[in-house]
Amino acid sequence: MKIACIGGGPAGLYFAISMKLRDAAHEIEVFERNPPGVTFGWGVVFSDLTVENITANDPVSAETITKEFVHWDEIDVHFKGETITSGGHGFIGIGRKRLLQVLQDRARELGVGLHFEAECDPGDPTWRGYDLVIASDGINSRFRDALPDAFGVDVDVRRNKFVWLGTSKVFDAFTFAFEDTEHGWIWAHAYRFAPDCSTFIVECSEETWVRFGFDKMSQDESIAACEKLFANYLDGHRLQSNASHLVGSAAWLNFRRIKCERWTSGNVILLGDAAHTAHFSIGSGTKLALEDAIKLADVLNRKGLSLEAALNEYQAERSLEVLKLQNSARNSTEWFETLERYTHFEPLQFAYSLLTRSQRISHENLRLRDREWLETVERWFWKRATDGKSNKTAPPMFAPFKMREMEVQNRVTVSPMAMYSAVDGVPNDFHFVHYGERALGGAGLVFTEMTCVSPEARISPGCTGMWNADHVAAWKRIVDFVHANSTAKICLQLGHSGGKGSTKLGWEGNDVPLDEGNWPVMSASDVPWSPANQVPKPMTRADMDLVRDQFVAAVRMGLECGFDMIELHAAHGYLLSSFITPLQNRRSDEYGGGLENRLRYPLEVFAAMRAAWPSDKPMSVRISATDWASENGTTPEDAVLIGEAFAREGADLIDVSAGQTWADQQPVYGRMFQTPFSDRVRNEGRLATMAVGNIYEPDHANSILAAGRADLVALARPHLVDPFWTLRAAAQLDYRDVHCPPQYLNGLSQLARNLKREAEAAAALRV
Ligand SMILES: Cc1cc2nc3c(=O)[nH]c(=O)nc-3n(C[C@H](O)[C@H](O)[C@H](O)COP(=O)(O)OP(=O)(O)OC[C@H]3O[C@@H](n4cnc5c(N)ncnc54)[C@H](O)[C@@H]3O)c2cc1C
Ligand SMILES: Cc1cc2nc3c(=O)[nH]c(=O)nc-3n(C[C@H](O)[C@H](O)[C@H](O)COP(=O)(O)O)c2cc1C
């Protein structure tokens, strides 16, 4: 094949090499706009896996590259005058200029034609004479941008400003240096890539950048200002830029995340940064470019594969890898963009939060990397959780948490889950076993299902209630059992279904109206949940008084039962949530309109409940932190304001759920998918929060808690199949101090021994 590679970066050069290695008969030419030896950027970092891949593909260039690698192990985080050092991270770096030199030499040796100072124009008819034109022309690809619709280009310009500099100062560790200045936070990411040279990327928010006056400075002035700012770390070494003499480069940039729906159009194929970019803070752009090149060369040379099938396979496989990396990169980008959310942390937690920012590194990964450091974090966590009383080194999920005078033994909670199994609202033997068993299972806090404050407040005829003496007696039996047989605390979740009421049992059809015996429903406005549901009656002031008083009466009954805590359900589109979300609240009175108005009634109910609930007992509120709507819905930004408003009325915990507030929601699911909302409410609002949503591993729980993304973690579905989730986690993590019913102690220690033996055998196999 006759192939032109536009751009002599890692992607173009490595593709040319990989093609020639597979079939020397290919005619390949690489066109690069810059002269040889002149390039932007300084060093690049690789992972061990990338090294394995390039060694398998071309042992010759891999040998030269790996010989010149600089290795380092530690990460230093400089923050508020402290340096937090953790080890075991294992980085490998090389100068970009040197990498390109090695690749150019190898390409030449294999017979690739290299043309420098050759600016290529996508409109040039020359390209029609090639079988394939590889657009390996980087992030600002002209060949991609000439056909934006054909490639389905999606560009996301990120908020922060950064400049990619170099220095002769040699950093022994990967260094993050955060400086708090009169203009705001500014920080550097620095790492060594050669024996005498380090990359030094400076980053800050756009606002800070403007306040510094970087927008009006020349490149030299910017560099001088950065030298002054980071003088403590540079030990007199200068900062340098190599962008000034390059075509098409600027000093300060905003990172541009590129995604393309299609990677091929006609004879043009996108490769590397031209097709996709990953934020520099996870340092994987070069890896992706090299791996793209290997895959594309593979499929193009596979016998019997048509060109179309080859290109389809190339995109299908590579785009999946890219998607995973871009997801991690997005988390990492956002962490730096919302840095000020975390600057109230103590240095150790700040460093932990930084290390786990992309969600690719978890608590247990950190233990494998540097056990001693992780144990320092665990000790710090326990000390803080116990007002300095405990010196324990143990997983954060087992640390106690205090709200008012109630202390939970650990941070795991059984999330509220409707069981649809009551008759006339009365919990029965099913509920007795269900809640009793989950309390025995070791969770620190067990929530009841949404328990309804009147018959009309029920979602379905099977919902539990709290409006008469039968309810009090039945709930009291459950609460007494929990208190007598476990250390778990039990929280009564109270709610009103609003416009989502009068529907079938959960497993008969979610939100589907009853076949017969429907009762009238009411809501903030006359917006039905779906065309199949009733049109609710907009609440009058008299309705509001009645329902508020029903909530208060239920609180008093909850007290009689001995509950430890009350939660108000103001999420998921039920009555109070219908006031909060603008998608359901269309009122024109003082309860509709802006957020302050929409919150007025839910806050009134909460305040009345709080007044009836003893001041030494805690209360929480469950909110939907987003409506998962592209426009007009509640946003995570609103969620902070909503959390703050409830906290002002005496909420001790914000239970941060999301969605289910309108039928056309577009949620984005994944592991721990709602935790970012809890993180935001907790750290912007400085409130105690509980995270929920697809948290299912002890490692998830520990990572969330240690990173300060929540104070408690709630698990719903995992507890349906495993009431003993917490005890199992204790066995898995070899934590002995968990409360276990004495009747079950033998089982717990046996499980712990077996799991330990299995872990040791697996570790021995790995060695
Ligand atoms: C601040 C920063 C730090 C980074 N740190 C790392 C890191 O540590 N590790 C890592 O793996 N990656 C890192 N990257 C990303 C990495 O630089 C890219 O992902 C990688 O270079 C992509 O390779 P590429 O060949 O696709 O594109 P590029 O390396 O950008 O190469 C494209 C080439 O095409 C040339 N070109 C462009 N247009 C034309 C034209 N019209 N005609 C002729 N030639 C043209 C350019 O001059 C360039 O040489 C970082 C990026 C930034 C911005
Ligand atoms: C069967 C079932 C019933 C639920 N009922 C309630 C409820 O009564 N009140 C509530 O606030 N959330 C309820 N939820 C939502 C859960 O508390 C939780 O927020 C959600 O399932 C996500 O957590 P998970 O991924 O751990 O399951 C219910 C979830 C399930 C699966």
Side-chain angles (χ1 to χ4, degrees), residues 73-93:
D73 211 43
E74 292 183 333
I75 295 184
D76 279 351
V77 181
H78 300 274
F79 178 69
K80 292 185 183 165
E82 279 189 43
T83 302
I84 306 292
T85 303
S86 59
H89 299 290
F91 292 101
I92 318 162

Side-chain angles (χ1 to χ4, degrees), residues 415-420 448-451 459 493 567 569 571-572 574 622 655 657 660 673-674 692-695 714-718 720:
S415 197
M417 277 180 287
M419 291 290 109
Y420 307 104
T448 70
E449 61 205 275
M450 178 169 117
T451 295
I459 304 168
Q493 188 189 56
E567 172 162 286
H569 196 337
H572 301 172
Y574 297 120
R622 179 163 259 206
D655 175 357
S657 187
Q660 298 173 57
F673 71 111
Q674 293 171 162
V692 65
N694 217 11
I695 298 166
L715 288 79
R717 287 163 295 180
L720 284 182

Side-chain angles (χ1 to χ4, degrees), residues 303-335:
K303 297 266 173 303
L305 202 62
S306 69
L307 181 63
E308 193 189 348
L311 296 180
N312 283 345
E313 184 178 327
Y314 160 64
Q315 176 169 352
E317 188 183 303
R318 293 303 303 151
S319 58
L320 199 69
E321 273 307 298
V322 168
L323 183 70
K324 282 193 222 155
L325 235 129
Q326 283 188 330
N327 278 344
S328 299
R330 188 199 54 231
N331 294 337
S332 178
T333 313
E334 284 175 2
W335 191 91

Side-chain angles (χ1 to χ4, degrees), residues 6-13 31-34 38-40 43-46 96 100 118-122 136-143 162-164 191 199 201 247 253 255 271-274 276-280 282-289:
I6 313 300
L13 288 170
F31 300 90
E32 166 58 46
R33 57 157 62 136
N34 285 307
V38 175
T39 180
F40 70 89
V44 292
V45 289
F46 281 164
R96 180 178 155 94
L100 293 183
E119 173 76 43
C120 304
D121 178 352
S136 46
D137 48 348
I139 191 166
N140 298 318
S141 171
R142 287 179 66 192
F143 279 66
F162 74 92
V163 59
W164 200 359
Y191 54 92
T199 289
I201 300 166
V247 185
L253 299 168
F255 181 77
L271 191 74
D273 270 14
H276 49 70
T277 56
H279 193 249
F280 58 85
I282 65 161
S284 295
T286 307
K287 158 203 155 73
L288 287 178

